[in-house]
Amino acid sequence: MTLLDGADWQGRIFSGGWVKGAGEPHDSTEPATGKTLGRVGAATPADVDRAVAQAAQAQRGWASLRYVERAQILRRAAALFEKHHAEIAEWIVRESGALRPFADVQTSIGAAEECHEAAALAAAPYGEVLRSIEDRLSFSRRRPVGVVGVISPFNAPMMLAMRAVAPALALGNAVVLKPDPRTAICGGVTIARVFEEAGLPDNLLHVLSGGADVGATLVDDSRVPVIAFTGSTRAGKAIATAAAQRLKRVHLELGGNSALIVLDDSDLDKAVSAGAFGSFHHSGQICMAASRHLVHASIAEEYTARLAERADAAAVGDPMTGEVAMGPMIDQRQLQATHAVVSDSLAAGARLAAGGTYEGLFYRPTVLADVPLTARAYAEEIFGPVAPVVAFHDLDEAARLASDTEYGLSLGILTRDVAKGLALADRIPSGLVHINDQTVNDEATVPFGGVGDSGNGSRHGGTSANLEAFTEQQWVTVRSEIPGYPF
């Protein structure tokens, strides 16, 4: 029996088991073919209210369990992700349009490895003994926050949900997950099924697909003290504003306009390959994508020509039917938004070196040369398979150009002189820096996040960041007897 054949999930939400949501179920559609993949249940604000109440009640018993019992469930979940790897990866390919290697990464690193790391996190030291001027034992300890709200996007639906779901559960919290409706099966139903099979007690995980009103209700609920959100900067700012009214913590992983800086001493062929991957991987629908190629003027023309050759040679098509370099974009709205950026940038003076065309939801990998700094392709996050190339003449100009954005998510610097690369990186605000690599990198063990409009500086991932993200610090003192006071 396959993982998704093992439960009656069609047209239902996961909230105390598989139940009918108050919203109208909708079809999940394969972007490459337009075929219907399944019927997804939909939640409403009323479902959120009920789920949070159930989660808050169940969380107390979960937090009181010995850490080894929580760890065992996370390890079982990891084993199930590994056992059903092929099935889950196929759902990711079909529902999100990802290539199979990217789907494999999301299942192994984004799901199984997150669960393995979370199982270890459950056993991590969670406090420290503190000095005190009084005659007493003084220490701090980490306590679960209670209910964690997770709002995940369409582009890497499994990975970007599990990096919050797994550590939050491991640390004794309950979770209410709202996946993007466009990828609610691979980014929601499969996660619910794994934890259901792993023996997670009822009501500790709720998976509620729905519209913006569902997310807004989750953010506004005073019983949900922490929100982990991955998505656009516009939506993230709205969530931060709403959460501030409740004085609740938000972990925001938002957009990017990341620079890939190619110095004149780089291995040009390898640099072009890295640049193509950084911009075209998953049709550019990645927050860390290389959105601006800043290339030394002495090699910019050749770099652009070689990058255009790679783009023209790339096969674009249905990732389920053969070897392709790129699959479809998620929907017509995202494709048209990308095409508008390209069209407006050409009108502003950029030169089309490759691509710029599409058929259905398949957008050709696109290279823009001689991009003016006023063009949208330079100034904005594109979230499509577009590589704008801008030349620089010295390191001061490279640092200025790379810093010339409200975003600060990822930075790649390609050079044979590693010390020079590190020194340059020190001049550019960025949450992530990769010397001699492109900008798209992530692992379960690292504290991930950006600065500026790429996030609020908060992090989760890795032991210390996850403890900070999903627990509260509590100060405790213990005396052998009650002291006397002058009253």
Side-chain angles (χ1 to χ4, degrees), residues 49-74:
D49 180 73
R50 182 168 53 255
V52 172
Q54 293 172 341
Q57 184 173 7
Q59 183 270 333
R60 290 189 287 272
W62 176 244
S64 68
L65 288 178
R66 295 180 303 159
Y67 76 87
V68 292
E69 296 178 66
R70 294 198 300 274
Q72 285 169 354
I73 288 175
L74 269 300

Side-chain angles (χ1 to χ4, degrees), residues 196-220:
E196 186 180 28
E197 290 296 302
L200 185 71
D202 289 343
N203 289 316
L204 285 170
L205 174 64
H206 298 256
V207 180
L208 310 178
S209 178
D213 58 341
V214 171
T217 302
L218 187 60
V219 171
D220 187 58

Side-chain angles (χ1 to χ4, degrees), residues 17 84 91 116 134 143 253 336 365 377 421 431 450:
H84 296 286
W91 275 104
H116 283 303
E134 299 290 337
R143 306 287 293 163
E253 202 282 275
Q336 290 300 330

Side-chain angles (χ1 to χ4, degrees), residues 80-294:
L80 286 164
F81 278 119
E82 291 162 352
K83 175 182 177 181
H84 296 286
H85 179 115
E87 178 189 356
I88 295 171
E90 182 173 318
W91 275 104
I92 294 172
V93 170
R94 298 193 67 190
E95 194 176 29
S96 74
L99 299 187
R100 182 55 186 258
F102 187 38
D104 288 338
V105 166
Q106 289 192 59
T107 310
S108 58
I109 296 176
E113 190 60 28
E114 288 286 359
C115 287
H116 283 303
E117 290 294 324
L121 178 65
Y126 67 108
E128 58 183 342
V129 179
L130 307 172
R131 296 188 183 277
S132 177
I133 61 173
E134 299 290 337
D135 184 17
R136 62 188 177 188
L137 172 64
S138 176
F139 63 93
S140 66
R141 62 179 180 176
R142 292 283 180 177
R143 306 287 293 163
V145 298
V147 180
V148 174
V150 179
I151 303 175
S152 58
F154 74 84
N155 57 325
M158 174 66 71
M159 178 181 293
L160 299 183
M162 284 302 299
R163 71 178 181 187
V165 170
L169 288 172
L171 291 167
N173 300 289
V175 173
V176 178
L177 167 64
K178 182 202 171 297
D180 190 296
R182 291 170 288 186
T183 49
I185 299 176
C186 64
V189 172
T190 55
I191 294 172
R193 283 290 298 127
V194 163
F195 280 102
E196 186 180 28
E197 290 296 302
L200 185 71
D202 289 343
N203 289 316
L204 285 170
L205 174 64
H206 298 256
V207 180
L208 310 178
S209 178
D213 58 341
V214 171
T217 302
L218 187 60
V219 171
D220 187 58
D221 197 307
S222 60
R223 299 164 296 179
V224 183
V226 169
I227 296 290
F229 170 79
T230 303
S232 71
T233 295
R234 177 187 55 79
K237 287 182 175 180
I239 286 173
T241 299
Q245 303 304 309
R246 294 289 188 183
L247 297 179
K248 67 171 61 180
R249 276 188 287 158
V250 288
H251 305 295
L252 302 175
E253 202 282 275
L254 308 177
N257 190 7
S258 299
L260 178 68
I261 302 176
V262 184
L263 301 188
D264 56 355
D265 63 349
S266 301
D267 180 316
L268 192 56
D269 196 52
K270 289 182 178 179
V272 169
S273 176
F277 183 91
S279 286
F280 305 145
H281 181 46
H282 197 38
S283 298
Q285 299 171 119
I286 299 175
C287 58
M288 298 171 283
S291 299
R292 296 174 297 153
H293 296 236
L294 308 180

